[in-house]
Amino acid sequence: MKLFFDANVVLDLILKRQPFFDYIAEIVTIAENKKFTLCLSSVSFVNVNYIACKFTDKKNVLESLKKLRILFDVLPVSEVEIDKALFSNFNDFEDAVQHYCALKYNCDYIIRRESKDFKNSEIPTLTPTEFLASIKF
């Protein structure tokens, strides 16, 4: 199973924002045990760095991104995803880019914080708590 993380979820993880952090950390822990693959777009790596550096030390952000790189597959965004996003029905361009990236690489779910962000998604979207409630071990 391939899980695509939206940038807001990754920010929750890096910045340890409650009440979201614990659920996201649980998903990452399960994934480390090879239950599923975690994916993040190349755009998200850049956006997460930019935003996280506004809230914490740049060195800490870089160290967090290095750890993420070990845990996550980085999916490239090309002009194809950009073009699809530009002409999509998504209200938010960045969400559209994320969606088309996840779609291109056959991700099974998009893990996101806000349900309104991906209402036009062709891929099922779940919050971290919804995802954890849906899996059975």
Side-chain angles (χ1 to χ4, degrees):
M1 179 183 324
K2 289 173 80 172
L3 303 178
F4 185 93
F5 273 41
D6 180 48
N8 288 327
V9 174
V10 177
L11 283 166
D12 292 338
L13 181 65
I14 285 179
L15 298 174
K16 298 182 179 175
R17 296 192 289 206
Q18 293 297 341
F20 314 106
F21 172 78
D22 294 332
Y23 302 110
I24 301 162
E26 186 175 347
I27 294 171
V28 171
T29 299
I30 295 167
E32 283 181 300
N33 295 322
K34 306 297 182 210
K35 299 291 184 192
F36 36 80
T37 303
L38 301 175
C39 302
L40 188 63
S41 77
S42 55
V43 172
S44 287
F45 253 87
V46 175
N47 290 345
V48 164
N49 177 70
Y50 177 77
I51 295 167
C53 284
K54 292 182 176 192
F55 296 96
T56 191
D57 180 67
K58 289 180 183 184
K59 184 178 177 183
N60 291 338
V61 173
L62 187 58
E63 289 306 312
S64 294
L65 290 174
K66 288 176 183 177
K67 290 175 186 172
L68 284 179
R69 180 57 197 100
I70 294 167
L71 299 171
F72 284 75
D73 288 352
V74 180
L75 307 180
V77 173
S78 74
E79 64 186 22
V80 173
E81 292 76 51
I82 298 296
D83 289 345
K84 287 180 179 180
L86 286 169
F87 295 98
S88 73
N89 291 327
F90 278 76
N91 290 330
D92 184 282
F93 176 69
E94 191 263 343
D95 291 339
V97 171
Q98 301 292 9
H99 168 262
Y100 288 110
C101 181
L103 192 63
K104 178 179 181 177
Y105 293 98
N106 301 310
C107 294
D108 297 296
Y109 295 96
I110 296 174
I111 306 301
R112 47 79 183 149
R113 181 154 15 118
E114 299 287 335
S115 59
K116 66 176 174 56
D117 292 346
F118 289 92
K119 68 180 181 181
N120 294 318
S121 179
E122 298 170 57
I123 302 170
T125 67
L126 298 169
T127 65
T129 52
E130 291 169 341
F131 177 76
L132 289 169
S134 75
I135 58 176
K136 296 180 176 101
F137 293 99

